[in-house]
């Protein structure tokens, strides 16, 4: 006899809700806008509406409050039929409903440093003509709550994640970084060759021996999801009597 022990838990998708304060290290970068919504869970709607406003008014002052965003931009976010809090996978639905949008989402956990900003959704429509790229940063408070914020300067935000200077240009698709005086030209050439999002970031190894010492990070996420649909298949119908 072989004993088997297992635990079951309800899988809850990641979705942004009400306001979460910006970490101090992140606020110093001044590369994002964290709109305060204390009484609802529509932070995704407000972040996308703010991006639409900035796209049409790039030289105007960026609103820092929900009440300062014109209502017509909030009404343009196609969330009909979707319930808040809005999950990350529903960004695909919004892209399908509004062909202008290219929605990207990055994540920062409460116990992570600024250097641990990771992509969790990269759009297939980045850098295409006529597309409005909206880069979102999903904050986590460590107690099960998430909150969408709008990234207004992707290069400045990610410079701490790569250890590079803020003057570098970074590709949203693959997080490849360009430096030097001709970085903008090389960035445009790179975008033409970058065919889509990558599931893995670039790995850079230091010189000399490499030793792993962050054992606590090995068990940060204490669950596994197995999408085994064969286990829930219905039995075939009984054959009809001859």
């Amino acid at each position: 006899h072989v004993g088997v022990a297992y635990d079951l838990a309800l899988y809850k998708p990641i979705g942004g809700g009400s306001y979460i304060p910006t970490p101090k290290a992140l606020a110093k970068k001044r590369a994002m806008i964290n709109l305060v919504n204390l009484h609802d869970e529509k932070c995704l709607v407000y972040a996308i509406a703010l991006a639409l406003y900035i796209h049409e008014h790039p030289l105007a002052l960026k609103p820092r409050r929900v009440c300062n965003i014109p209502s017509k931009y909030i009404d343009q976010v196609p969330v009909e039929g979707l319930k808040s809090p809005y999950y990350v996978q529903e960004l695909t639905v919004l892209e399908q409903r509004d062909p202008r949008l290219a929605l990207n989402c990055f994540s920062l956990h409460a116990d992570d440093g600024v250097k641990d900003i990771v992509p969790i959704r990269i759009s297939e429509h980045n850098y295409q003509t006529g597309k409005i790229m909206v880069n979102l940063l999903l904050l986590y408070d460590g107690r099960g709550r998430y909150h969408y914020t709008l990234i207004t300067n992707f290069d400045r935000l990610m410079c701490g994640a790569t250890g590079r200077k803020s003057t570098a240009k970074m590709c949203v698709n693959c997080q490849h970084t360009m430096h030097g005086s001709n970085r903008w030209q090389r960035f445009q050439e790179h975008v033409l060759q970058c065919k889509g999002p990558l599931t893995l970031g670039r790995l850079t190894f230091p010189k000399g021996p490499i030793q792993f010492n962050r054992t606590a990070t090995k068990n940060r996420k204490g669950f596994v999801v197995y999408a085994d649909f064969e286990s829930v298949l219905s039995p075939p119908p009984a054959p009809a009597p001859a």
Side-chain angles (χ1 to χ4, degrees), residues 57-223:
H57 304 84
L59 301 180
L61 294 177
K62 298 178 178 62
R64 299 283 171 171
R65 298 177 182 269
V66 173
C67 60
N68 293 334
I69 303 175
S71 58
K72 72 172 185 177
Y73 296 101
I74 297 178
D75 296 337
Q76 290 179 23
V77 184
V79 292
E80 298 81 5
L82 303 178
K83 295 182 180 180
S84 59
Y86 303 106
Y87 301 132
V88 173
Q89 53 264 41
E90 291 174 330
L91 298 179
T92 303
V93 179
L94 299 183
E95 281 189 345
Q96 294 172 349
R97 293 180 177 181
D98 191 342
R100 300 175 301 168
L101 298 177
L103 303 176
N104 306 295
C105 188
F106 295 79
S107 176
L108 176 68
H109 287 258
D111 55 349
D112 290 340
V114 178
K115 295 184 178 181
D116 295 311
I117 300 175
V118 295
I120 57 177
R121 185 191 191 272
I122 300 297
S123 175
E124 298 178 355
H125 310 293
N126 290 329
Y127 303 112
Q128 294 181 6
T129 303
K131 294 291 185 179
I132 302 175
M133 286 181 56
V134 180
N135 298 321
L136 304 167
L137 180 63
L138 196 60
L139 301 180
Y140 178 59
D141 67 351
R143 298 186 297 273
R145 293 179 56 247
Y146 294 86
H147 176 68
Y148 290 103
T149 63
L150 177 65
I151 301 173
T152 55
N153 192 318
F154 182 75
D155 300 326
R156 188 187 302 164
L157 175 73
M158 298 297 289
C159 70
T162 60
R164 304 293 186 179
K165 296 181 179 179
S166 59
T167 56
K169 286 295 298 179
M170 177 177 288
C171 175
V172 173
N173 282 341
C174 63
Q175 290 80 62
H176 180 71
T177 310
M178 274 65 68
H179 309 275
S181 57
N182 62 340
R183 57 186 177 277
W184 179 250
Q185 178 182 353
R186 291 189 290 110
F187 171 74
Q188 292 178 319
E189 295 173 353
H190 169 82
V191 167
L192 296 176
Q193 300 175 356
C194 188
K195 300 301 181 181
L198 301 179
T199 56
L200 295 177
R202 294 188 307 148
L203 297 179
T204 57
F205 296 96
K207 297 181 180 180
I210 300 176
Q211 181 179 1
F212 178 77
N213 56 9
R214 299 181 61 188
T215 56
T217 61
K218 297 176 62 176
N219 300 318
R220 188 177 68 177
K221 296 177 176 62
F223 64 89

